[in-house]
Amino acid sequence: MGNTSAQERRMEKLGLKTPQDFILHLPLRYEDETRIDTVSSLVPGRWAQVEGDVLRCEVQGRPRRQLVATVADDTGEIGLRFLNFYPSQQRQLAVGTRVRVRGEPRGGLFGLEMVHPRVGSANKPLPQTLTPVYPITQGLPQATLRRAIGEALGEEPWHDTLPDEVRARFALADFDESIRALHYPTKASLPSLQSRTHAAWRRVKFDELLAQQLSLAVARAARRRRSAPVMPPHTGAQSLSERLRAMLPFTLSGAQRRVVGEIGADMAQAFPMQRLLQGDVGSGKTVVAALAAAQAVDNGYQAALMAPTELLAEQHLRKFSGWFEPLGIRIAWLSGSVGAKARREALAAIASGEAALAVGTQALIQDTVQFHRLGLAITDEQHRFGVGQRLALRQKGALAEEGGGVHQLMMSATPIPRTLAMTVFADLDVSEIDELPPGRTPIVTKLVDDVRRDEVIARIHHAVAEGRQAYWVCPLVEESEALELQTAVDTFERLRVALPGVRVGLVHGKLSSAEKATVMAGFQKGEVDLLVATTVIEVGVDVPNASLMVIEHAERFGLAQLHQLRGRVGRGTAESVCVLMYQTPLSRVAKARLRTLHESTDGFLIAERDLELRGPGEFLGVRQSGEALLRFADLQDDAGLAEEAREAAAWMLKEHRPAVRQHLARWLRGREDFLKA
Ligand code: ADP
Ligand code: MG
């Protein structure tokens, strides 16, 4: 061994190493090569196989070098076109040869043609079963993969990981029969295979959903066995929690009180909390985090709050300082831009416990950071962090040496659709702030064609004249950061000219964090009326006096991002407006996105729509989403099956432990680390 071939490496790239991997690498679709279609029966876009004689074959030089041939059967002619070709292909298509051609016909300039069809000899017997088409990677031929899968399947039946009782109760097909039916399907089964309603598909999807349920249950049980500091709520008037509550300039909303209670109860347990705090933008998560931190401090522990960007972390620092420092609590600040001396001091304060709270960016999880007694780790915008980063923070916990954990609170303002949250984040308890603080007026969203830019500028003028502030978000330029920056600078200059008397500020990603902080502070204090920004302001920025948000080229942004941006306004009592400027023509998806935003300000509804438009893959970091575990089942389409799998999981955990282990061994495939986060 030791000598991996290029093909093996390609297969490894697909995650194919062990026989188990191969047998569960299932076809995307099937091609029916068992029959020959007549040329006259071809339909554009529908895969087909025809057989005929080569009438013409030539290399054309223009517009670019390509091989063009014509094949005819008794019913008609079809063109073949190869943009890249080998001499062997040219020989294969010598005039007069009888060939078998497979591919997807499309309407060409001179009738139907197939681009890059597969060409074979007409002498071979037709196959008896359908031909599976597998997900592949560049340079790996279907035939090679097919052979490897065939070898892995072997002759012996694969054992069934499900006890007979379980199979009978949920009317599940046999495992071995199912995978063979999927790899070597008969013609009769084609419709139900394609629609994925076939019993074999049902079995595979069930297995996958079951594995997910089992693995999450196992992770949950393991968490309950780990220790964590016990930090019950303190309610005495002298407790930090109560003094903090008393000094807040507002009363908590009902939803905030509820989630504070949920979090507080978790922290009182002797095993680590793992709770996701979800709440739409502006729902008031920060104060909830502060109350959790206060509870840790009341119990003699430290709390850390980590945010993904310097801007956001700084804002948390400002809020926390405002709340905690008057109460005599010291906060250490750590970020990439903290100078050596300040950093040393912060590290010392964290290590001695003098600083009960630490706020910062990823700098908080570096090796040099040693906490005196960390009891609670809070991450904001949790989806922006990788599993590894969250684990690293956890490992700094007070009980880490005895293998204990730390209580974790993860906040997310990018609402995870309920359907995803329920099924994917099973080892995450979810608290939801489903109500905005009182006194907010809803944001009005307007869609405005870019040609009406002057009206938008007039609107800004008007808002500023009334003492309000506004944001102007510059277009996203995906291809080039430099261009994006240039656009922001140009916009800034133009708006300054167009709006005399208006104090305009500019903030973008290329500014140092000190410069950014200065601009932001100016905006916060009302010294800047209009803040021109790139998407750096996307998350978390909180300036209640800002009531107008203009987003240029809104069609280039994703739904979630637009919702986040829009959430920067509507934080005070003034009526807020979000103007989405777009440039025509709009794609279908862009139209759907803008319409959704126009119609709704409900983050959860928007998230659901986003899920529909984009699919779950992009939603969260793949590793955190658990989507990686679901290759075959679909959380929406297979909701009923997921419910059955949940039931089966509970039963197996109680009565069939050995089967649980076997089933996980087959399905987990080295993705166990996902469970640890
Ligand atoms: P997010 O959930 O988006 O992080 P923030 O925590 O930044 O929201 O809160 C948004 C704004 O609402 C802040 O200015 C905050 O002080 C304010 N706020 C939070 N809770 C309340 C409340 N119960 N009543 C009034 N204002 C509140
Ligand atoms: Mg926030």
Side-chain angles (χ1 to χ4, degrees):
M1 297 289 289
N3 203 356
T4 30
S5 71
Q7 296 303 21
E8 278 171 42
R9 274 199 305 279
R10 290 189 182 114
M11 294 197 231
E12 267 184 38
K13 229 169 91 184
L14 291 171
L16 305 177
K17 282 182 232 160
T18 69
Q20 310 227 24
D21 300 335
F22 280 92
I23 65 164
L24 293 175
H25 193 69
L26 298 175
L28 288 171
R29 60 190 169 86
Y30 301 94
E31 287 173 353
D32 185 0
E33 296 179 7
T34 63
R35 70 195 166 102
I36 302 289
D37 301 293
T38 57
V39 170
S40 62
S41 72
L42 297 184
V43 177
R46 196 173 71 200
W47 187 93
Q49 168 169 260
V50 296
E51 197 172 292
D53 300 316
V54 179
L55 291 189
R56 283 180 292 274
C57 180
E58 58 176 9
V59 176
Q60 289 180 352
R62 258 172 302 209
R64 53 180 284 195
R65 212 175 113 81
Q66 50 184 302
L67 182 68
V68 179
T70 308
V71 168
D73 67 4
D74 296 340
T75 68
E77 290 180 11
I78 177 161
L80 312 183
R81 186 180 300 274
F82 300 85
L83 302 175
N84 303 300
F85 59 94
Y86 299 106
S88 62
Q89 279 173 306
Q90 212 174 333
R91 280 195 298 279
Q92 213 179 12
L93 287 165
V95 172
T97 321
R98 192 162 180 80
V99 289
R100 212 173 268 163
V101 183
R102 298 181 281 270
E104 215 170 80
R106 60 169 209 192
L109 216 46
F110 308 102
L112 281 183
E113 66 171 13
M114 287 183 184
V115 178
H116 289 202
R118 281 188 288 139
V119 178
S121 159
N123 301 324
K124 275 206 257 168
L126 288 168
Q128 295 302 300
T129 57
L130 299 175
T131 310
V133 180
Y134 293 102
I136 46 166
T137 176
Q138 183 92 45
L140 179 65
Q142 286 286 340
T144 310
L145 185 56
R146 233 173 259 151
R147 212 171 316 115
I149 290 171
E151 273 166 32
L153 270 170
E155 306 290 327
E156 290 295 305
W158 282 75
H159 79 273
D160 206 309
T161 51
L162 298 191
D164 291 345
E165 275 170 76
V166 174
R167 273 177 43 208
R169 163 122 151 235
F170 296 98
L172 295 165
D174 175 74
F175 177 76
D176 185 71
E177 281 168 24
S178 296
I179 48 168
R180 283 177 205 276
L182 292 171
H183 288 294
Y184 303 124
T186 60
K187 232 176 122 161
S189 57
L190 186 61
S192 60
L193 284 175
Q194 301 282 41
S195 65
R196 302 212 164 181
T197 52
H198 192 280
W201 269 125
R202 183 170 177 272
R203 171 63 203 261
V204 165
K205 292 184 196 178
F206 184 91
D207 274 19
E208 182 176 51
L209 290 164
L210 176 66
Q212 189 193 34
Q213 291 301 322
L214 290 173
S215 59
L216 291 164
V218 168
R220 200 177 190 82
R223 172 156 67 94
R224 276 159 199 267
R225 285 193 300 272
R226 284 206 317 269
S227 59
V230 177
M231 310 189 293
H234 286 215
T235 50
Q238 280 320 300
S239 68
L240 182 61
S241 305
E242 284 310 313
R243 286 189 295 144
L244 175 58
R245 267 178 208 261
M247 75 168 290
L248 291 174
F250 47 74
T251 46
L252 297 183
S253 68
Q256 282 171 318
R257 273 200 304 277
R258 176 171 46 73
V259 303
V260 166
E262 288 164 359
I263 295 163
D266 275 8
M267 288 170 58
Q269 308 263 30
F271 62 88
M273 161 169 83
Q274 207 146 285
R275 189 169 279 278
L276 178 68
L277 173 57
Q278 289 209 69
D280 210 346
V281 285
S283 61
K285 294 182 290 297
T286 319
V287 68
V288 173
L291 285 164
Q295 185 172 329
V297 176
D298 274 332
N299 285 279
Y301 285 92
Q302 290 168 297
L305 169 57
M306 180 164 81
T309 66
E310 184 121 11
L311 198 65
L312 193 52
E314 255 163 38
Q315 185 174 280
H316 284 318
L317 177 69
R318 251 196 318 276
K319 282 232 162 111
F320 270 42
S321 302
W323 288 328
F324 285 107
E325 276 172 0
L327 301 175
I329 299 297
R330 174 154 174 207
I331 305 173
W333 163 246
L334 272 184
S335 84
S337 64
V338 169
K341 179 157 172 286
R343 196 182 134 73
R344 255 196 321 275
E345 283 169 12
L347 288 176
I350 292 171
S352 68
E354 215 179 304
L357 302 176
V359 176
T361 59
Q362 283 89 327
L364 279 176
I365 54 175
Q366 281 161 3
D367 291 343
T368 45
V369 185
Q370 295 274 347
F371 284 87
H372 175 61
R373 272 184 110 197
L374 180 66
L376 172 68
I378 308 170
T379 42
D380 195 11
E381 297 299 322
Q382 65 87 28
H383 59 286
R384 296 235 177 158
F385 291 108
V387 168
Q389 289 171 312
R390 290 211 310 269
L391 281 176
L393 190 53
R394 179 165 108 192
Q395 261 134 30
K396 298 196 178 289
L399 304 180
E401 273 173 22
E402 303 106 80
V406 56
H407 295 286
Q408 283 197 93
L409 179 64
M410 293 157 255
M411 303 195 279
S412 175
T414 305
I416 295 159
R418 289 188 183 92
T419 40
L420 264 186
M422 300 314 279
T423 20
V424 176
F425 281 80
D427 189 36
L428 217 46
D429 298 305
V430 179
S431 284
E432 207 176 281
I433 308 184
D434 50 8
E435 153 190 19
L436 288 182
R440 299 272 171 87
T441 34
I443 307 168
V444 176
T445 300
K446 301 198 184 273
L447 303 180
V448 177
D449 191 316
D450 192 66
V451 299
R452 290 166 55 201
R453 172 178 292 255
D454 287 348
E455 291 170 36
V456 176
I457 291 173
R459 193 182 268 278
I460 291 176
H461 194 81
H462 190 71
V464 171
E466 291 197 325
R468 312 250 134 247
Q469 290 168 283
Y471 295 95
W472 184 293
V473 178
C474 297
L476 194 67
V477 184
E478 293 215 320
E479 311 80 53
S480 156
E481 229 178 295
L483 203 59
E484 188 163 308
L485 178 60
Q486 189 56 50
T487 319
V489 173
D490 290 348
T491 308
F492 169 67
E493 295 297 347
R494 270 205 305 270
L495 286 172
R496 261 210 314 202
V497 173
L499 290 163
V502 171
R503 296 164 299 175
V504 188
L506 172 65
V507 62
H508 56 73
K510 278 281 138 54
L511 294 182
S512 75
S513 38
E515 291 168 317
K516 254 187 262 174
T518 309
V519 182
M520 290 312 298
F523 191 56
Q524 210 121 32
K525 282 188 256 163
E527 294 161 4
V528 167
D529 304 309
L530 172 65
L531 185 65
V532 176
T534 54
T535 51
V536 295
I537 60 150
E538 181 189 339
V539 285
V541 172
D542 184 36
V543 179
N545 190 47
S547 64
L548 176 59
M549 162 71 61
V550 178
I551 303 172
E552 231 185 308
H553 273 295
E555 76 280 0
R556 293 190 195 166
F557 293 87
L559 251 186
Q561 207 176 10
L562 288 171
H563 179 62
Q564 284 287 319
L565 285 168
R566 177 171 61 182
R568 298 309 109 213
V569 294
R571 300 182 153 240
T573 43
E575 159 133 343
S576 291
V577 176
C578 174
V579 177
L580 300 177
M581 287 209 311
Y582 60 84
Q583 218 160 52
T584 50
L586 289 173
S587 73
R588 187 190 57 80
V589 174
K591 243 182 231 160
R593 276 203 298 260
L594 295 180
R595 194 173 315 120
T596 301
L597 278 156
H598 181 58
E599 287 166 2
S600 175
T601 50
D602 175 349
F604 283 100
L605 188 139
I606 289 169
E608 300 277 0
R609 289 286 293 129
D610 205 15
L611 183 65
E612 284 163 28
L613 291 172
R614 291 196 300 174
E618 287 181 55
F619 228 89
L620 312 137
V622 174
R623 326 223 42 211
Q624 296 165 70
S625 72
E627 260 321 289
L629 287 173
L630 286 185
R631 291 182 289 160
F632 307 120
D634 180 295
L635 294 173
Q636 256 141 13
D637 297 353
D638 302 314
L641 203 58
E643 196 43 58
E644 289 182 323
R646 218 186 314 257
E647 207 182 302
W651 187 21
M652 284 173 67
L653 283 163
K654 238 168 71 203
E655 291 177 29
H656 300 284
R657 300 295 296 204
V660 168
R661 225 166 308 145
Q662 286 181 11
H663 193 76
L664 287 178
R666 173 168 289 165
W667 281 92
L668 226 46
R669 309 203 321 155
R671 292 174 221 227
E672 296 82 352
D673 67 333
F674 144 78
L675 298 170
K676 298 202 195 97

